[in-house]
DNA sequence: GATGGTGTAAAATGATCGTTTTACATTGAG
DNA sequence: CTCAATGTAAAACGATCATTTTACACCATC
């Protein structure tokens, strides 16, 4: 595994468990088994490293979302939450911690959110056979986001509830 | 206004805009117009101050949620988001930043979440005239949480969507 | 008019922050 | 063989972290 991959993987775990600001560079270098000089040569800066972590996570997340129904989407989210999640959306957490002050982080967050929203819009078109249904898309987005956030303190049942709610909402548009 | 109220109010604003860890004690003292000695005499520690901020915010939020229908609940959330919100749930942000390591913060977060969940459960009973409907309650919780989180990047429309979705879900239980 | 409580200002605490630099070892390609 | 690249270890950078301490002012009450 090359250095950047190792660094990003190790950093993601630390950021996820302890927060971005609370995780110092020494923890990151130690965890990746590299010197700080090498870290800066590859990652550029701490904010750039955070952006890289978010970028990789987005790619990995997107791979899980390669499904063709809303139901499968929420089942994918359930799998994700079981394996990786439970601590909320790492993108929104990064955004919140940095106050939106770092452009590279903001960009990574918005790109991820746009990707998920696009996927949901695509699936809603497939399921309803309508060219667009903005209200329904927005509702599914809220359920998706809510399942992720509520899972922090209510566990997997949040994702199950979101999946059931989405099914109910879709039902009305399939008459 | 007494010292603690002034301190907590000023701190809440700073924490909300810039994050908890990123906000140093000097910013807090300067913003409240008090010395660090006074801050520690009243607040105890930074984590205790964060817990106090969350406690006050919970009380203020609870006052807004004194409604008697699910629809009014989401309208109250809409008002809140317009006036105070837009940056996500400050409780979950605190939890995420501290990694759940501070017991006083964890307690404040869980107390808040329990209060909101109880309110939702109460309203669902009123609206459905059933003694309990755990699935529906869970779905409303997810919508409530999702509206708050999605509003960060999608604006008020998330809350409107959540309110509409909740109405649809409730409808099926009123037949 | 001394006392105790409550405040400020400012310095000191030792640790840790993100980042850069210095000095040195290894390695693959010309 | 040499050059350039790429890595490490370790120190230094100045800034900032949360917290405590020292020294002093105000003010109400006994």
């Amino acid at each position: 595994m090359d250095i950047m991959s190792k660094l990003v993987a190790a950093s993601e775990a630390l950021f996820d468990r302890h927060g971005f600001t609370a995780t110092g560079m020494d923890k990151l270098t130690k965890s990746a088994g590299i010197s700080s000089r090498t870290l800066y040569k590859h990652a550029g800066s701490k904010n750039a490293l955070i952006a890289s972590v978010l970028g990789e996570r987005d790619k990995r997340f997107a791979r899980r979302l390669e499904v063709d129904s809303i139901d499968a989407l929420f089942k994918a989210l359930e799998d994700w939450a079981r394996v990786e999640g439970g601590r909320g959306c790492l993108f929104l957490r990064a955004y919140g911690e940095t106050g939106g002050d770092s452009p590279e982080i903001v960009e990574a967050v918005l790109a991820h959110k746009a990707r998920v929203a696009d996927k949901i819009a695509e699936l809603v078109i497939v399921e309803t056979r309508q060219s667009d249904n903005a209200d329904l898309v927005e509702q599914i987005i809220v359920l998706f986001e809510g399942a992720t956030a509520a899972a922090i303190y209510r566990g997997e049942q949040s994702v199950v509830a979101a999946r059931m709610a989405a099914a109910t909402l879709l039902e009305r548009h399939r008459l």
Side-chain angles (χ1 to χ4, degrees), chain A residues 49-163:
Chain A
L49 173 59
I50 292 175
S52 295
V53 165
L54 296 180
E56 282 303 311
R57 192 176 175 95
D58 178 50
K59 289 204 312 214
R60 192 151 33 85
F61 192 72
R63 233 170 286 134
R64 291 228 184 213
L65 296 197
E66 285 170 357
V67 297
D68 50 14
S69 75
I70 293 289
D71 196 70
L73 186 82
F74 281 96
K75 279 187 173 148
L77 181 60
E78 212 176 319
D79 291 342
W80 172 272
R82 201 177 353 253
V83 178
E84 308 222 28
R87 296 175 175 275
C89 175
L90 196 65
F91 299 85
L92 291 185
R93 287 172 59 196
Y95 187 85
E97 280 204 38
T98 54
D101 292 333
S102 163
E104 40 203 343
I105 293 176
V106 171
E107 193 194 333
V109 173
L110 296 184
H112 167 73
K113 291 306 180 185
R115 186 200 296 273
V116 174
D118 284 352
K119 180 70 191 180
I120 289 175
E122 169 202 322
L123 289 177
V124 166
I125 289 176
V126 169
E127 299 241 21
T128 65
R129 284 181 264 282
Q130 292 173 237
S131 66
D132 79 332
N133 191 331
D135 286 348
L136 184 55
V137 169
E138 197 67 36
Q139 293 175 15
I140 306 290
I141 290 174
V142 167
L143 284 173
F144 199 84
E145 201 69 71
T148 306
I152 300 171
Y153 57 97
R154 299 193 72 85
E156 302 183 11
Q157 63 176 335
S158 298
V159 192
V160 176
R163 180 160 58 86

